[in-house]
Amino acid sequence: MLRLMEWQEDMEIRWHPQLYKQWLVDSIIDKTNKNGGKCMNNFFGLFADENEKAQNNHENEKLRLHKEELDITKNKIAAGEVTLQKEVIEEQQTVDVPVTHEEVVIERRAIDNELSNSSISDEETIHIPVSEEQVQVSKHTVTTGEVSAYKRNVEETQHVEETLKREEAHVDTTGHVNIASDDTASSID
């Protein structure tokens, strides 16, 4: 029965923030009295006296050093454009073409006055067709070549110079002061 009452009291304290805070402070004070007051002085530095706080602050002071570093980004920008198109060029061309034609050759022979049974008339005619080659010019298109274009990536190195700042710690001493340095960190001038 006694344990049940302690449990109910403990639950009431935890569910009520004001009661819980008071219980926590009472517990710390109770432990402080048992440890000779040292626990209260060291509890987050809340209850330490001003001399102790000042001494702790001077012993743990830190100087944070900074430096600049480069943030380099690359952006694609339009550098130009290449256009492929056809251009029609006209040129005059002269070609020598050999052609043939027929000629009629007339030969005359003398016959020694032979007798003939034919009467003299103008009704007899001989037709000899004559031909020649005539040049006709026409044009046709042929493929003479092909031009293609494509892009490729070419890597080059660009020299970049920039001035960067960084902070260094300089230690000034007055009087006779011994300074011990931790060699794992960067050197202090």
Side-chain angles (χ1 to χ4, degrees):
M1 185 72 170
L2 185 60
R3 284 189 182 171
L4 181 61
M5 287 176 53
E6 286 177 30
W7 181 80
Q8 285 178 342
E9 188 177 277
D10 189 31
M11 290 306 290
E12 284 179 5
I13 289 172
R14 289 179 193 236
W15 285 104
H16 291 77
Q18 291 292 45
L19 292 175
Y20 184 70
K21 285 181 188 175
Q22 185 61 44
W23 173 81
L24 184 63
V25 170
D26 290 343
S27 298
I28 291 171
I29 291 172
D30 187 42
K31 288 181 183 177
T32 301
N33 291 336
K34 291 179 184 174
N35 292 330
K38 291 181 183 173
C39 178
M40 190 59 106
N41 288 343
N42 293 331
F43 184 73
F44 298 116
L46 293 175
F47 302 104
D49 63 356
E50 292 302 317
N51 289 339
E52 195 174 325
K53 280 185 187 178
Q55 185 179 2
N56 286 341
N57 284 343
H58 288 298
E59 288 176 3
N60 294 326
E61 286 187 14
K62 294 179 183 175
L63 178 66
R64 292 188 177 260
L65 304 176
H66 304 88
K67 73 173 185 176
E68 293 178 332
E69 291 184 349
L70 292 177
D71 293 325
I72 297 176
T73 57
K74 298 185 287 185
N75 298 318
K76 276 194 175 184
I77 60 169
E81 180 180 70
V82 173
T83 304
L84 291 179
Q85 65 184 39
K86 295 191 288 184
E87 178 184 0
V88 177
I89 298 173
E90 291 183 6
E91 60 182 21
Q92 202 66 30
Q93 202 171 50
T94 304
V95 178
D96 292 330
V97 180
V99 292
T100 59
H101 64 276
E102 296 175 332
E103 294 179 338
V104 176
V105 178
I106 298 177
E107 291 182 354
R108 294 179 189 252
R109 267 181 315 148
I111 299 178
D112 286 333
N113 295 323
E114 289 181 15
L115 289 174
S116 174
N117 294 335
S118 303
S119 64
I120 296 178
S121 88
D122 59 1
E123 292 182 15
E124 189 177 350
T125 305
I126 299 174
H127 293 280
I128 302 172
V130 177
S131 66
E132 69 178 354
E133 290 180 335
Q134 215 176 41
V135 177
Q136 291 182 343
V137 178
S138 64
K139 297 185 270 185
H140 64 278
T141 304
V142 296
T143 303
T144 60
E146 182 177 79
V147 176
S148 64
Y150 63 93
K151 297 190 306 185
R152 66 179 177 183
N153 290 330
V154 178
E155 186 173 312
E156 60 185 25
T157 302
Q158 205 171 40
H159 185 70
V160 176
E161 282 190 31
E162 186 64 39
T163 302
L164 299 178
K165 297 177 185 176
R166 68 183 169 101
E167 298 172 339
E168 289 186 0
H170 294 283
V171 178
D172 295 326
T173 60
T174 305
H176 183 69
V177 177
N178 291 330
I179 297 176
S181 176
D182 182 6
D183 289 339
T184 59
S186 61
S187 65
I188 298 175
D189 293 332

